[in-house]
Amino acid sequence: MPDPAQQPLLERSLLSSPSDDSSYTAFVLAQFGLGKRGALAQIGAVAAAIGLLSLALYVLLEMMTPAPLNVIMMVSDGFGPASQTLARNFHSFAKNLSYDSVLPLDTILVGSSRTRSSDSFVTDSAAGATAFSCALKSYNGAIGDPEMIPCGTVLEAAKLRGYLTGLVATSRITHAHVIDRDMENEIAVQEIGNYSLGRTVDLMFGGGSCHFKPASAGPSSCRHDELDLFRWGATKYGWTSVGNIELRKRLPLLALFTPDHMSYEIDRNEQKEPSLKEMALKALDILSDASKRNRKGFFIMIEGSRIDMAAHSCVTSTSTTLASVKNAHRNDPATHVREILAYNNAVEAVINWVNGHPNTVMISTSDHETGGLSVAHQLGNGYPVYEWYPSALANVQNSTETVANFLASYPNDSTYPQFVIDVVLPQWLGVIDASEAEIAFLTVPGSPAFSYQQFIANMISDRAGLGWATHGHSAVDVNLYAHGHRSDELRGNHENTAIGGFLARVLGVDLKSVTRRLNADGKWWKSAMARGRMAVEAEKDKLREVSGFNKAGRFLLQHFHHHGSQA
């Protein structure tokens, strides 16, 4: 029998090692001069070293990798330079602040923007929004459609490039590629993702749920078909719909808090509707958290939509919708100033958010000025008084829209006059010096809401010493504000299309390529236009029925519910 000592090491190990695993491990360690405890200690040390090295490499990579790029476009619809002065003066008065107090927007002023559209020195919101979103001039009335064909927007380009995207507005959320901005039912279809580019929005907060509900839903629906966009959006495009933004859900996320526009800030029920600030912060946090996974960042448009509406009034027009009859707007200074302050509150919150998130830029500007506001107004032909009176606005408790709608629907004619004298004038409007002519007009029941609304708006403006040059828009340049990453590039006076160009440059997107892709298949566009025109005609027919207007289509009210862009 061979001497085991003469056998090779490997052969000896195979012949003489114990059969159980633990003994075998000890045997192998012994061949290398290691005890079990020593081996475990060395293995632990190696593992710890590897762990520390991995951690160091991770930290180094994190330091070398730039933070996700975030672009926040804030739009203050209808907000001109005089409106910021109005709000600053009012805030200083209401809070008893010193003469040199400022509002959040004042701290990030970098320049101004020129606002004309392609066919008028005085733009509307649609053409102004297209300048921001497509970096192109468009004609009044069209969103994203300067030459009767849809143009690719910054939001769409960002989504196709891998960014997350969001829309937040205090108006109805419905706005996209159309040749007539009254085609909101078709816009809602596009927003959930049913068009040539598919779903390009990840988050939408605002109003306008009526455009997402089928006609069979009754008064809560604005549609003329049976499309249930909440259900369709969920099943085909993955949308999650919530009624409370505190309910954290996965993207894409849709939260529409009102059937129509959200309430004016002066009328808002805090238990039912979030503020613009609350919606903005929640949207930023949700998109930021979600973008950490792809490290790409996000683009979001946040609009203070109803600043514009409070500064409007009604005129004769050939185009309107039933919604505009129900929501006619006036030169309402008390409501206007509170919308501006709510917007400034949102801006302050966003500034602070940007400060905590490197590689983020926020821009704030307006599509146009509304109302031709002057912060002083001469009554009569006497020597002018160099003053205006914020106290006349501070005492107002409700918008002229809310007060007028209540008066127009007051149920008991016999108690109506005294109710106006005892409650409406002193408590709701803060008017204790009403003239006989004012009392005579307001105490006659049965007038249409828009008559009451205009009358009350004039009462408040006159007492405050404020003037309005128009019931529509003006051609004045608007302020441009910016903060954060590359914001210095916006210093100076710019054409509004330059804002869209800046957004595209910062995001590194090509708008022309998106336009080509958008129009590669023209079938969706033709289909969308056909559905949209049918909806507009149905709306006009309905308007004629409820208003008794003639078939020639001369309507009493201008369609003034302006939205921001799918910027």
Side-chain angles (χ1 to χ4, degrees):
M1 183 175 182
D3 184 356
Q6 302 301 318
Q7 294 174 305
L9 176 61
L10 179 59
E11 187 178 341
R12 273 190 286 136
S13 66
L14 291 174
L15 290 173
S16 58
S17 60
S19 60
D20 64 281
D21 291 342
S22 59
S23 299
Y24 177 74
T25 300
F27 173 77
V28 171
L29 292 173
Q31 306 307 312
F32 292 94
L34 295 173
K36 192 170 184 179
R37 289 185 178 179
L40 291 175
Q42 290 195 31
I43 291 171
V46 171
I50 292 173
L52 288 172
L53 179 61
S54 298
L55 179 61
L57 287 173
Y58 174 79
V59 172
L60 181 62
L61 287 172
E62 285 290 302
M63 294 175 63
M64 294 175 62
T65 303
L69 175 64
N70 306 313
V71 177
I72 305 166
M73 178 65 188
M74 299 189 70
V75 180
S76 46
D77 195 351
F79 173 53
S83 294
Q84 178 70 356
T85 301
L86 173 80
R88 187 191 310 114
N89 290 172
F90 178 83
H91 181 70
S92 176
F93 168 83
K95 301 296 184 180
N96 195 27
L97 302 176
S98 65
Y99 71 92
D100 57 351
S101 63
V102 297
L103 293 175
L105 277 173
D106 295 321
T107 66
I108 58 170
L109 177 67
V110 296
S112 58
S113 171
R114 304 187 293 275
T115 62
R116 68 158 298 165
S117 68
S118 65
D119 66 347
S120 175
F121 287 116
V122 181
T123 189
D124 72 352
S125 291
T130 299
F132 299 154
S133 62
C134 298
L136 295 171
K137 289 290 185 181
S138 181
Y139 57 90
N140 284 356
I143 304 177
D145 183 49
E147 296 179 359
M148 299 294 286
I149 59 172
C151 61
T153 68
V154 171
L155 183 144
E156 291 164 335
K159 181 61 178 177
L160 295 176
R161 189 68 184 270
Y163 293 92
L164 294 176
T165 60
L167 295 172
V168 175
T170 52
S171 67
R172 296 189 288 270
I173 201 70
T174 38
H175 42 82
H177 297 289
V178 287
I179 59 171
D180 187 328
R181 65 200 310 262
D182 290 352
M183 297 160 62
E184 293 189 67
N185 289 335
E186 174 57 33
I187 292 168
V189 172
Q190 293 180 21
E191 285 184 322
I192 66 168
N194 188 54
Y195 76 123
S196 60
L197 297 181
R199 182 180 63 78
T200 57
V201 189
D202 295 298
L203 178 148
M204 291 192 288
F205 290 168
S209 63
C210 72
H211 293 289
F212 293 77
K213 295 181 178 180
S216 57
S220 65
S221 172
C222 301
R223 300 196 67 84
H224 306 287
D225 53 39
E226 285 305 310
L227 288 179
D228 184 341
L229 299 189
F230 286 114
R231 178 176 296 179
W232 190 17
T235 57
K236 186 172 182 179
Y237 300 103
W239 285 95
T240 299
S241 300
V242 297
N244 185 340
I245 57 176
E246 295 304 322
L247 299 174
R248 296 299 293 270
K249 299 289 184 178
R250 62 180 177 84
L251 297 175
L253 182 62
L254 176 63
L256 303 180
F257 304 99
T258 53
D260 205 323
H261 303 306
M262 297 184 71
S263 298
Y264 283 122
E265 181 65 22
I266 197 172
D267 299 325
R268 183 173 65 88
N269 183 333
E270 296 180 2
Q271 304 304 314
K272 295 182 178 180
E273 298 178 46
S275 66
L276 179 62
K277 172 184 174 179
E278 291 168 334
M279 290 193 295
L281 285 179
K282 184 59 65 175
L284 293 175
D285 287 342
I286 291 173
L287 291 175
S288 178
D289 289 345
S291 67
K292 289 176 182 177
R293 290 187 288 273
N294 65 6
R295 304 194 65 84
K296 190 69 176 181
F298 62 82
F299 170 80
I300 186 172
M301 189 281 292
I302 301 171
E303 183 184 72
S305 317
R306 305 211 70 187
I307 297 171
D308 171 76
M309 299 177 188
H312 264 299
S313 189
C314 65
V315 295
T316 300
S317 173
T318 57
S319 174
T320 191
T321 67
L322 180 62
S324 67
V325 171
K326 295 177 180 177
N327 297 283
H329 316 299
R330 299 294 180 270
N331 300 138
D332 183 347
T335 301
H336 185 61
V337 75
R338 281 154 173 105
E339 289 298 302
I340 297 165
L341 291 176
Y343 185 80
N344 270 272
N345 287 339
V347 165
E348 181 177 36
V350 173
I351 290 173
N352 292 332
W353 195 93
V354 170
N355 289 340
H357 294 78
N359 222 25
T360 299
V361 62
M362 66 167 289
I363 306 99
S364 174
T365 192
S366 308
D367 43 1
H368 55 77
E369 191 273 348
T370 297
L373 174 68
S374 63
V375 192
H377 178 54
Q378 182 172 344
L379 296 174
N381 297 319
Y383 190 80
V385 176
Y386 296 146
E387 185 61 277
W388 81 275
Y389 308 99
S391 58
L393 308 185
N395 296 328
V396 179
Q397 302 301 311
N398 298 100
S399 68
T400 61
E401 178 182 287
T402 294
V403 175
N405 286 338
F406 184 89
L407 294 181
S409 60
Y410 193 81
N412 191 329
D413 287 354
S414 64
T415 61
Y416 175 83
Q418 202 59 43
F419 179 80
V420 170
I421 294 171
D422 294 342
V423 178
V424 175
L425 286 168
Q427 296 181 31
W428 293 2
L429 303 178
V431 175
I432 58 175
D433 60 347
S435 67
E436 291 183 3
E438 290 171 334
I439 293 174
F441 179 87
L442 290 175
T443 54
V444 176
S447 295
F450 62 81
S451 295
Y452 290 128
Q453 197 174 354
Q454 185 67 75
F455 192 86
I456 293 169
N458 289 341
M459 288 177 61
I460 303 302
S461 292
D462 287 349
R463 282 168 170 76
L466 298 172
W468 304 88
T470 177
H471 298 316
H473 302 167
S474 74
V476 69
D477 289 359
V478 294
N479 287 346
L480 177 59
Y481 306 91
H483 179 64
H485 179 65
R486 296 178 62 174
S487 58
D488 282 348
E489 294 179 25
L490 289 172
R491 294 194 177 277
N493 179 265
H494 303 275
E495 196 65 44
N496 55 6
T497 51
I499 310 302
F502 172 80
L503 297 174
R505 283 198 313 276
V506 172
L507 290 165
V509 298
D510 181 0
L511 297 180
K512 290 183 179 179
S513 67
V514 178
T515 297
R516 289 192 295 270
R517 181 170 173 179
L518 186 64
N519 292 280
D521 178 8
K523 292 180 180 179
W524 79 271
W525 181 239
K526 293 178 181 178
S527 175
M529 291 304 96
R531 289 194 304 268
R533 289 190 181 98
M534 288 177 62
V536 170
E537 288 306 313
E539 187 79 4
K540 288 180 178 179
D541 287 341
K542 193 173 180 182
L543 178 65
R544 293 182 186 105
E545 292 175 8
V546 299
S547 307
F549 296 159
N550 61 47
K551 290 290 183 179
R554 294 297 298 179
F555 301 105
L556 181 63
L557 302 179
Q558 167 74 314
H559 175 46
F560 277 132
H561 54 275
H562 291 306
H563 319 289
S565 70
Q566 201 184 63

